[in-house]
Amino acid sequence: MPSDRADRLFQRWQDCFRALSLDPPAAAYAALVERYSEPQRAYHNLQHIADCFDRLDELADAGSTAAIGLALFFHDVIYDPYAKDNEARSAAWAEDVLSEAGATREMRETVTALILATRHDEAPTGHAAQIIVDIDLSILGAERARFDAYERQIREEYAGVPEAVFRLGRAAILRKFLERPSIFSTEHFRSRYENRARENLARSLKDQ
């Protein structure tokens, strides 16, 4: 990631904590950067987090931006492509950092709930959860070249899975999104990304 984007990301980290009248924990940020720089991450890395903040900046009604921003930072901090509990472990990691920083119990619970919403196993409830889930899914509605690169990055993260098995599993995931009445929950993301997301997913399914 370019150094200017890395600098802006660190500034966002500081801003999120200062918005809660807390000192930004530098050591925790260094640990977070180390996590997002792990070798198994082709997509779920710092670039993904920076892109998430770009999508957040598109919104005029993000509400509790500090809580959403912190959830974005932490939502993929634990990432093992073959594990089923990444979000739960990421939420626990966030809980520890926020507790040590002095965040209120209410804020900790809000952030961890937002992280758990990114499991995408059910429709998000509440405006903040809808925003973070839509942000996380916005890559589905990216321009064609970027979406295709994303698909290659996901395949790279699952390099240990045989091709036929990967295609079968990936098709099931993509089809699940296409079968939803709407992929995105908020009007902003529906109007901007829904049609292209459906085009991308349909095209990808033809190749599975």
Short mmCIF file of all heavy atoms in Angstrom, two decimals, residues 88-133:
data_model
loop_
_atom_site.label_atom_id
_atom_site.label_comp_id
_atom_site.label_asym_id
_atom_site.label_seq_id
_atom_site.Cartn_x
_atom_site.Cartn_y
_atom_site.Cartn_z
N ALA A 88 -15.48 -13.90 15.22
CA ALA A 88 -15.58 -13.99 16.68
C ALA A 88 -14.23 -13.71 17.34
O ALA A 88 -14.16 -13.00 18.35
CB ALA A 88 -16.09 -15.37 17.09
N ARG A 89 -13.17 -14.24 16.77
CA ARG A 89 -11.84 -13.99 17.32
C ARG A 89 -11.41 -12.55 17.10
O ARG A 89 -10.73 -11.96 17.95
CB ARG A 89 -10.83 -14.97 16.70
CG ARG A 89 -11.06 -16.42 17.12
CD ARG A 89 -10.22 -17.37 16.30
NE ARG A 89 -8.80 -17.13 16.51
CZ ARG A 89 -7.85 -17.52 15.66
NH1 ARG A 89 -8.18 -18.14 14.52
NH2 ARG A 89 -6.59 -17.27 15.92
N SER A 90 -11.80 -11.97 15.97
CA SER A 90 -11.50 -10.56 15.73
C SER A 90 -12.24 -9.67 16.72
O SER A 90 -11.70 -8.68 17.22
CB SER A 90 -11.89 -10.17 14.29
OG SER A 90 -11.08 -10.85 13.34
N ALA A 91 -13.49 -10.02 17.01
CA ALA A 91 -14.27 -9.26 17.98
C ALA A 91 -13.63 -9.34 19.37
O ALA A 91 -13.59 -8.34 20.10
CB ALA A 91 -15.71 -9.78 18.03
N ALA A 92 -13.14 -10.52 19.73
CA ALA A 92 -12.47 -10.67 21.03
C ALA A 92 -11.19 -9.86 21.08
O ALA A 92 -10.85 -9.26 22.12
CB ALA A 92 -12.19 -12.15 21.29
N TRP A 93 -10.48 -9.80 19.98
CA TRP A 93 -9.24 -9.02 19.90
C TRP A 93 -9.56 -7.53 20.09
O TRP A 93 -8.89 -6.82 20.82
CB TRP A 93 -8.59 -9.26 18.53
CG TRP A 93 -7.12 -9.02 18.42
CD1 TRP A 93 -6.13 -9.94 18.60
CD2 TRP A 93 -6.46 -7.80 18.03
NE1 TRP A 93 -4.91 -9.37 18.36
CE2 TRP A 93 -5.08 -8.05 18.01
CE3 TRP A 93 -6.92 -6.52 17.70
CZ2 TRP A 93 -4.14 -7.08 17.67
CZ3 TRP A 93 -5.99 -5.55 17.37
CH2 TRP A 93 -4.62 -5.83 17.36
N ALA A 94 -10.63 -7.09 19.43
CA ALA A 94 -11.07 -5.70 19.56
C ALA A 94 -11.48 -5.40 20.99
O ALA A 94 -11.15 -4.34 21.54
CB ALA A 94 -12.23 -5.43 18.61
N GLU A 95 -12.21 -6.31 21.60
CA GLU A 95 -12.64 -6.13 22.99
C GLU A 95 -11.45 -5.90 23.91
O GLU A 95 -11.46 -5.01 24.77
CB GLU A 95 -13.43 -7.36 23.44
CG GLU A 95 -13.69 -7.47 24.93
CD GLU A 95 -14.71 -6.48 25.45
OE1 GLU A 95 -15.57 -6.05 24.66
OE2 GLU A 95 -14.65 -6.13 26.64
N ASP A 96 -10.40 -6.68 23.72
CA ASP A 96 -9.21 -6.55 24.57
C ASP A 96 -8.55 -5.18 24.37
O ASP A 96 -8.17 -4.50 25.33
CB ASP A 96 -8.21 -7.66 24.26
CG ASP A 96 -8.67 -9.02 24.75
OD1 ASP A 96 -9.60 -9.06 25.59
OD2 ASP A 96 -8.13 -10.04 24.28
N VAL A 97 -8.38 -4.78 23.11
CA VAL A 97 -7.73 -3.50 22.82
C VAL A 97 -8.55 -2.34 23.35
O VAL A 97 -8.01 -1.42 24.00
CB VAL A 97 -7.49 -3.35 21.30
CG1 VAL A 97 -7.00 -1.93 20.97
CG2 VAL A 97 -6.49 -4.38 20.80
N LEU A 98 -9.84 -2.36 23.11
CA LEU A 98 -10.69 -1.26 23.53
C LEU A 98 -10.81 -1.20 25.05
O LEU A 98 -10.86 -0.11 25.63
CB LEU A 98 -12.08 -1.40 22.90
CG LEU A 98 -12.12 -1.22 21.38
CD1 LEU A 98 -13.50 -1.53 20.84
CD2 LEU A 98 -11.70 0.19 20.99
N SER A 99 -10.85 -2.35 25.68
CA SER A 99 -10.90 -2.37 27.14
C SER A 99 -9.65 -1.76 27.74
O SER A 99 -9.71 -0.94 28.66
CB SER A 99 -11.08 -3.82 27.64
OG SER A 99 -11.11 -3.86 29.05
N GLU A 100 -8.50 -2.16 27.21
CA GLU A 100 -7.24 -1.63 27.70
C GLU A 100 -7.13 -0.12 27.45
O GLU A 100 -6.53 0.62 28.24
CB GLU A 100 -6.07 -2.36 27.06
CG GLU A 100 -4.72 -1.98 27.64
CD GLU A 100 -3.60 -2.86 27.12
OE1 GLU A 100 -3.88 -3.94 26.55
OE2 GLU A 100 -2.43 -2.48 27.28
N ALA A 101 -7.73 0.34 26.35
CA ALA A 101 -7.69 1.78 26.02
C ALA A 101 -8.65 2.59 26.88
O ALA A 101 -8.57 3.83 26.88
CB ALA A 101 -8.00 1.98 24.55
N GLY A 102 -9.56 1.92 27.57
CA GLY A 102 -10.49 2.63 28.43
C GLY A 102 -11.85 2.91 27.82
O GLY A 102 -12.61 3.73 28.34
N ALA A 103 -12.19 2.22 26.73
CA ALA A 103 -13.49 2.42 26.10
C ALA A 103 -14.60 1.93 27.03
O ALA A 103 -14.42 0.98 27.79
CB ALA A 103 -13.56 1.68 24.77
N THR A 104 -15.74 2.56 26.95
CA THR A 104 -16.87 2.16 27.78
C THR A 104 -17.37 0.78 27.36
O THR A 104 -17.14 0.32 26.23
CB THR A 104 -18.03 3.15 27.66
OG1 THR A 104 -18.54 3.12 26.30
CG2 THR A 104 -17.59 4.56 28.01
N ARG A 105 -18.07 0.14 28.27
CA ARG A 105 -18.64 -1.16 27.96
C ARG A 105 -19.61 -1.06 26.78
O ARG A 105 -19.63 -1.92 25.90
CB ARG A 105 -19.37 -1.72 29.19
CG ARG A 105 -20.05 -3.06 28.96
CD ARG A 105 -20.71 -3.57 30.22
NE ARG A 105 -21.38 -4.84 29.99
CZ ARG A 105 -22.05 -5.52 30.91
NH1 ARG A 105 -22.11 -5.04 32.15
NH2 ARG A 105 -22.65 -6.66 30.62
N GLU A 106 -20.40 0.01 26.75
CA GLU A 106 -21.35 0.20 25.66
C GLU A 106 -20.63 0.29 24.32
O GLU A 106 -21.06 -0.31 23.33
CB GLU A 106 -22.17 1.46 25.90
CG GLU A 106 -23.19 1.74 24.80
CD GLU A 106 -23.98 3.02 25.03
OE1 GLU A 106 -23.64 3.77 25.97
OE2 GLU A 106 -24.92 3.27 24.27
N MET A 107 -19.53 1.05 24.26
CA MET A 107 -18.79 1.17 23.01
C MET A 107 -18.17 -0.16 22.62
O MET A 107 -18.18 -0.55 21.44
CB MET A 107 -17.72 2.25 23.14
CG MET A 107 -16.86 2.44 21.89
SD MET A 107 -17.81 2.77 20.36
CE MET A 107 -18.63 4.31 20.79
N ARG A 108 -17.62 -0.88 23.57
CA ARG A 108 -17.02 -2.18 23.27
C ARG A 108 -18.07 -3.13 22.70
O ARG A 108 -17.82 -3.85 21.72
CB ARG A 108 -16.37 -2.79 24.51
CG ARG A 108 -15.25 -1.95 25.10
CD ARG A 108 -14.36 -2.75 26.05
NE ARG A 108 -15.09 -3.45 27.08
CZ ARG A 108 -15.37 -2.96 28.29
NH1 ARG A 108 -15.02 -1.71 28.60
NH2 ARG A 108 -15.99 -3.69 29.20
N GLU A 109 -19.24 -3.13 23.30
CA GLU A 109 -20.30 -4.02 22.82
C GLU A 109 -20.78 -3.61 21.44
O GLU A 109 -21.08 -4.46 20.60
CB GLU A 109 -21.47 -4.02 23.81
CG GLU A 109 -21.14 -4.72 25.13
CD GLU A 109 -22.28 -4.65 26.14
OE1 GLU A 109 -23.24 -3.88 25.89
OE2 GLU A 109 -22.20 -5.36 27.16
N THR A 110 -20.83 -2.31 21.19
CA THR A 110 -21.25 -1.82 19.87
C THR A 110 -20.27 -2.26 18.80
O THR A 110 -20.66 -2.78 17.74
CB THR A 110 -21.36 -0.28 19.89
OG1 THR A 110 -22.39 0.11 20.80
CG2 THR A 110 -21.69 0.25 18.49
N VAL A 111 -18.98 -2.06 19.07
CA VAL A 111 -17.96 -2.41 18.08
C VAL A 111 -17.93 -3.91 17.83
O VAL A 111 -17.87 -4.35 16.67
CB VAL A 111 -16.58 -1.90 18.53
CG1 VAL A 111 -15.47 -2.44 17.63
CG2 VAL A 111 -16.55 -0.37 18.54
N THR A 112 -17.98 -4.71 18.88
CA THR A 112 -17.92 -6.16 18.68
C THR A 112 -19.16 -6.66 17.93
O THR A 112 -19.05 -7.56 17.09
CB THR A 112 -17.75 -6.90 20.02
OG1 THR A 112 -18.81 -6.54 20.91
CG2 THR A 112 -16.42 -6.57 20.66
N ALA A 113 -20.32 -6.06 18.20
CA ALA A 113 -21.53 -6.46 17.47
C ALA A 113 -21.40 -6.13 15.98
O ALA A 113 -21.83 -6.91 15.11
CB ALA A 113 -22.76 -5.78 18.06
N LEU A 114 -20.80 -4.99 15.67
CA LEU A 114 -20.60 -4.62 14.27
C LEU A 114 -19.63 -5.57 13.58
O LEU A 114 -19.83 -5.93 12.41
CB LEU A 114 -20.09 -3.18 14.18
CG LEU A 114 -21.07 -2.09 14.60
CD1 LEU A 114 -20.40 -0.72 14.53
CD2 LEU A 114 -22.32 -2.10 13.72
N ILE A 115 -18.59 -5.97 14.27
CA ILE A 115 -17.65 -6.94 13.70
C ILE A 115 -18.36 -8.25 13.40
O ILE A 115 -18.20 -8.84 12.32
CB ILE A 115 -16.46 -7.16 14.65
CG1 ILE A 115 -15.63 -5.89 14.77
CG2 ILE A 115 -15.59 -8.33 14.17
CD1 ILE A 115 -14.61 -5.92 15.90
N LEU A 116 -19.16 -8.73 14.34
CA LEU A 116 -19.86 -10.00 14.15
C LEU A 116 -20.86 -9.92 13.01
O LEU A 116 -21.15 -10.94 12.37
CB LEU A 116 -20.55 -10.41 15.45
CG LEU A 116 -19.60 -10.75 16.61
CD1 LEU A 116 -20.40 -11.04 17.88
CD2 LEU A 116 -18.71 -11.94 16.26
N ALA A 117 -21.35 -8.73 12.72
CA ALA A 117 -22.28 -8.58 11.59
C ALA A 117 -21.61 -8.90 10.26
O ALA A 117 -22.30 -9.27 9.29
CB ALA A 117 -22.85 -7.16 11.57
N THR A 118 -20.28 -8.78 10.19
CA THR A 118 -19.58 -9.05 8.93
C THR A 118 -19.40 -10.54 8.66
O THR A 118 -18.73 -10.91 7.69
CB THR A 118 -18.21 -8.34 8.90
OG1 THR A 118 -17.35 -8.89 9.90
CG2 THR A 118 -18.37 -6.84 9.12
N ARG A 119 -20.01 -11.39 9.48
CA ARG A 119 -20.05 -12.82 9.15
C ARG A 119 -20.95 -13.07 7.95
O ARG A 119 -20.86 -14.11 7.31
CB ARG A 119 -20.55 -13.63 10.36
CG ARG A 119 -19.56 -13.67 11.51
CD ARG A 119 -20.08 -14.46 12.69
NE ARG A 119 -21.23 -13.80 13.32
CZ ARG A 119 -21.68 -14.11 14.54
NH1 ARG A 119 -21.09 -15.08 15.24
NH2 ARG A 119 -22.72 -13.47 15.05
N HIS A 120 -21.87 -12.12 7.67
CA HIS A 120 -22.77 -12.20 6.51
C HIS A 120 -23.65 -13.45 6.54
O HIS A 120 -24.02 -13.99 5.49
CB HIS A 120 -21.98 -12.16 5.20
CG HIS A 120 -21.07 -10.98 5.09
ND1 HIS A 120 -21.54 -9.68 5.09
CD2 HIS A 120 -19.70 -10.89 5.00
CE1 HIS A 120 -20.50 -8.85 4.99
NE2 HIS A 120 -19.40 -9.55 4.94
N ASP A 121 -23.97 -13.92 7.74
CA ASP A 121 -24.82 -15.10 7.84
C ASP A 121 -26.30 -14.76 7.99
O ASP A 121 -27.15 -15.65 7.94
CB ASP A 121 -24.37 -15.99 9.00
CG ASP A 121 -24.29 -15.25 10.34
OD1 ASP A 121 -24.54 -14.03 10.35
OD2 ASP A 121 -23.96 -15.90 11.34
N GLU A 122 -26.60 -13.48 8.18
CA GLU A 122 -27.99 -13.03 8.24
C GLU A 122 -28.05 -11.56 7.89
O GLU A 122 -27.02 -10.87 7.89
CB GLU A 122 -28.57 -13.28 9.63
CG GLU A 122 -27.81 -12.60 10.74
CD GLU A 122 -28.35 -12.97 12.12
OE1 GLU A 122 -28.94 -14.05 12.27
OE2 GLU A 122 -28.18 -12.15 13.04
N ALA A 123 -29.24 -11.08 7.59
CA ALA A 123 -29.39 -9.67 7.23
C ALA A 123 -29.07 -8.80 8.44
O ALA A 123 -29.51 -9.07 9.55
CB ALA A 123 -30.82 -9.41 6.76
N PRO A 124 -28.26 -7.75 8.24
CA PRO A 124 -27.89 -6.89 9.37
C PRO A 124 -29.08 -6.06 9.84
O PRO A 124 -29.92 -5.64 9.04
CB PRO A 124 -26.80 -6.00 8.78
CG PRO A 124 -27.11 -5.95 7.31
CD PRO A 124 -27.67 -7.31 6.98
N THR A 125 -29.15 -5.85 11.15
CA THR A 125 -30.20 -5.01 11.72
C THR A 125 -29.55 -3.80 12.37
O THR A 125 -28.52 -3.92 13.03
CB THR A 125 -31.02 -5.79 12.76
OG1 THR A 125 -30.16 -6.29 13.79
CG2 THR A 125 -31.74 -6.96 12.11
N GLY A 126 -30.16 -2.65 12.18
CA GLY A 126 -29.60 -1.42 12.71
C GLY A 126 -28.79 -0.72 11.64
O GLY A 126 -28.10 -1.36 10.83
N HIS A 127 -28.85 0.61 11.62
CA HIS A 127 -28.23 1.38 10.55
C HIS A 127 -26.71 1.19 10.51
O HIS A 127 -26.13 1.00 9.43
CB HIS A 127 -28.56 2.86 10.75
CG HIS A 127 -28.14 3.73 9.61
ND1 HIS A 127 -28.51 3.49 8.31
CD2 HIS A 127 -27.36 4.85 9.58
CE1 HIS A 127 -28.00 4.42 7.52
NE2 HIS A 127 -27.29 5.25 8.25
N ALA A 128 -26.05 1.18 11.65
CA ALA A 128 -24.59 1.03 11.66
C ALA A 128 -24.18 -0.33 11.13
O ALA A 128 -23.22 -0.44 10.36
CB ALA A 128 -24.05 1.25 13.08
N ALA A 129 -24.90 -1.38 11.53
CA ALA A 129 -24.58 -2.72 11.03
C ALA A 129 -24.81 -2.81 9.53
O ALA A 129 -24.02 -3.44 8.81
CB ALA A 129 -25.42 -3.76 11.77
N GLN A 130 -25.87 -2.20 9.05
CA GLN A 130 -26.13 -2.20 7.61
C GLN A 130 -25.01 -1.49 6.85
O GLN A 130 -24.58 -1.96 5.78
CB GLN A 130 -27.47 -1.53 7.33
CG GLN A 130 -28.66 -2.34 7.80
CD GLN A 130 -29.98 -1.60 7.63
OE1 GLN A 130 -30.00 -0.38 7.46
NE2 GLN A 130 -31.08 -2.33 7.68
N ILE A 131 -24.51 -0.41 7.42
CA ILE A 131 -23.43 0.33 6.76
C ILE A 131 -22.17 -0.52 6.68
O ILE A 131 -21.56 -0.64 5.61
CB ILE A 131 -23.15 1.65 7.51
CG1 ILE A 131 -24.27 2.66 7.24
CG2 ILE A 131 -21.81 2.24 7.08
CD1 ILE A 131 -24.16 3.92 8.05
N ILE A 132 -21.75 -1.11 7.79
CA ILE A 132 -20.48 -1.83 7.77
C ILE A 132 -20.57 -3.08 6.89
O ILE A 132 -19.62 -3.42 6.18
CB ILE A 132 -19.99 -2.18 9.19
CG1 ILE A 132 -18.53 -2.64 9.14
CG2 ILE A 132 -20.86 -3.22 9.87
CD1 ILE A 132 -17.87 -2.77 10.49
N VAL A 133 -21.73 -3.73 6.89
CA VAL A 133 -21.90 -4.91 6.03
C VAL A 133 -21.88 -4.49 4.57
O VAL A 133 -21.23 -5.14 3.73
CB VAL A 133 -23.19 -5.66 6.39
CG1 VAL A 133 -23.52 -6.70 5.32
CG2 VAL A 133 -23.03 -6.34 7.75
#
